[in-house]
């Protein structure tokens, strides 16, 4: 899954990028409101982490801009401003959650995953499709024979994309957008290679190919 990090503290950014990557997220990072406004509308992010104190103004300006443009991407405000009025202002501007600094990485990751679950209409922490269960904390998948299989970071992110939208055809471009950041230069044959690897785990029938159009995860009970 791909998210946008809007933060100007370089030291914190390095820690955040590491924590988020370890949890299976692909991160695009910007440190100004102007950049955030553009990318927040241009790219398909699953979540935005937004600081309020940025060099060119208040992060709420970007949030209001996205909401005015009907962009409903879940937004978590991560800021040093911790009084109740700041929290109220952030939520009124359209934020979905608010976490004050300092914070624990585990709490941040848990809140992000909760936002994504709600955006997908799920209550279970696992993604359940047919007889498959994807555990986001352990980055493992349980197959219908009840066996658990560990996944690499890219395998997990790809399966997360496919199982998060079961039955939907996802093109290579859509998968690339969710699996890689703007700084990466992936090739389309990379997607094909990972699909082959995943089929060895979930079986050939679980992921179908629609030639020239994309892939669908459509496991049945």
């Amino acid at each position: 899954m791909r998210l946008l990090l809007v933060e100007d503290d370089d030291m914190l950014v390095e820690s955040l990028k590491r924590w988020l990557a370890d949890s299976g997220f692909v991160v695009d990072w910007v440190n100004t409101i102007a950049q955030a406004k553009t990318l927040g509308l241009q790219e398909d992010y699953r979540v935005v982490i937004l600081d309020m104190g940025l060099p060119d103004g208040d992060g709420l300006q970007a949030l209001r801009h996205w909401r005015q443009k009907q962009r409903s991407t879940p937004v978590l405000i991560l800021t040093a401003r911790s009084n109740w009025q700041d929290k109220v202002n952030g939520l009124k501007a359209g934020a979905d959650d608010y976490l004050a600094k300092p914070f624990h990485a585990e709490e941040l990751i848990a809140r992000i995953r909760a936002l994504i679950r709600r955006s997908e209409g799920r209550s279970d922490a696992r993604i359940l499709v047919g007889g498959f269960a994807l555990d986001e904390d352990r980055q493992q998948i349980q197959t219908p024979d009840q066996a658990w299989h560990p996944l690499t970071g890219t395998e997990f992110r790809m399966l997360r994309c496919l199982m998060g939208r079961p039955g939907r055809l996802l093109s290579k471009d859509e998968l690339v957008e969710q699996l890689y950041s703007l700084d990466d230069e992936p090739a389309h044959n990379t997607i094909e290679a990972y699909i082959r690897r995943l089929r060895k785990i979930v079986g050939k029938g679980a992921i179908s190919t629609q030639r020239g159009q994309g892939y669908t995860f459509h496991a049945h009970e």
Side-chain angles (χ1 to χ4, degrees):
M1 288 173 293
R2 190 168 167 215
L3 61 77
L4 177 63
L5 172 62
V6 187
E7 172 63 63
D8 68 331
D9 182 332
D10 291 343
M11 290 184 64
L12 178 58
V13 166
E14 290 308 309
S15 297
L16 282 169
K17 289 169 76 172
R18 185 172 63 254
W19 293 332
L20 292 165
D22 289 345
S23 299
F25 295 97
V26 174
V27 180
D28 286 337
W29 165 62
V30 296
N31 58 7
T32 67
I33 294 170
Q35 293 171 306
K37 281 182 175 179
T38 300
L39 284 185
L41 296 181
Q42 177 181 301
E43 303 295 328
D44 180 21
Y45 294 113
R46 304 305 300 276
V47 170
V48 176
I49 300 174
L50 178 65
D51 189 12
M52 291 174 74
L54 296 166
D56 54 345
D58 191 319
L60 294 186
Q61 297 172 33
L63 176 56
R64 293 191 179 99
H65 178 72
W66 298 326
R67 297 307 187 230
Q68 288 167 2
K69 299 292 184 181
Q70 310 302 313
R71 178 65 81 173
S72 60
T73 308
V75 173
L76 183 150
I77 291 178
L78 184 64
T79 178
R81 301 177 191 174
S82 59
N83 71 54
W84 69 268
Q85 188 62 61
D86 287 321
K87 296 177 182 177
V88 169
N89 291 342
L91 295 170
K92 281 186 173 179
D96 301 89
D97 199 359
Y98 195 109
L99 183 59
K101 303 172 185 174
F103 61 93
H104 292 284
E106 292 83 358
E107 182 179 2
L108 174 66
I109 299 300
R111 286 174 180 257
I112 291 171
R113 287 181 172 159
L115 288 177
I116 293 172
R117 284 202 304 274
R118 287 201 290 273
S119 72
E120 295 176 344
R122 291 188 294 116
S123 57
D124 198 307
R126 300 168 302 167
I127 299 177
L128 306 174
V129 181
F132 296 89
L134 184 65
D135 186 315
E136 295 184 285
D137 290 328
R138 296 190 297 161
Q139 298 190 16
Q140 295 185 3
I141 185 168
Q142 187 181 39
T143 45
D145 61 0
Q146 304 303 304
W148 283 97
H149 305 268
L151 302 166
T152 67
T154 303
E155 289 170 351
F156 169 73
R157 292 196 299 274
M158 179 173 286
L159 207 47
R160 176 70 179 74
C161 290
L162 292 164
M163 291 181 66
R165 298 169 181 174
R168 177 181 162 183
L169 179 68
L170 293 173
S171 69
K172 286 184 180 178
D173 286 340
E174 288 177 298
L175 288 172
V176 166
E177 285 180 5
Q178 291 300 321
L179 293 174
Y180 300 98
S181 73
L182 292 174
D183 295 328
D184 297 324
E185 296 182 0
H188 275 198
N189 59 10
T190 303
I191 299 296
E192 295 169 2
Y194 276 103
I195 289 290
R196 285 196 296 272
R197 290 170 58 164
L198 287 176
R199 280 177 172 150
K200 292 181 180 177
I201 298 172
V202 301
K204 293 181 179 178
I207 302 174
S208 66
T209 301
Q210 200 159 326
R211 188 172 296 278
Q213 298 187 56
Y215 305 94
T216 303
F217 195 97
H218 57 82
H220 301 292
E221 297 286 356

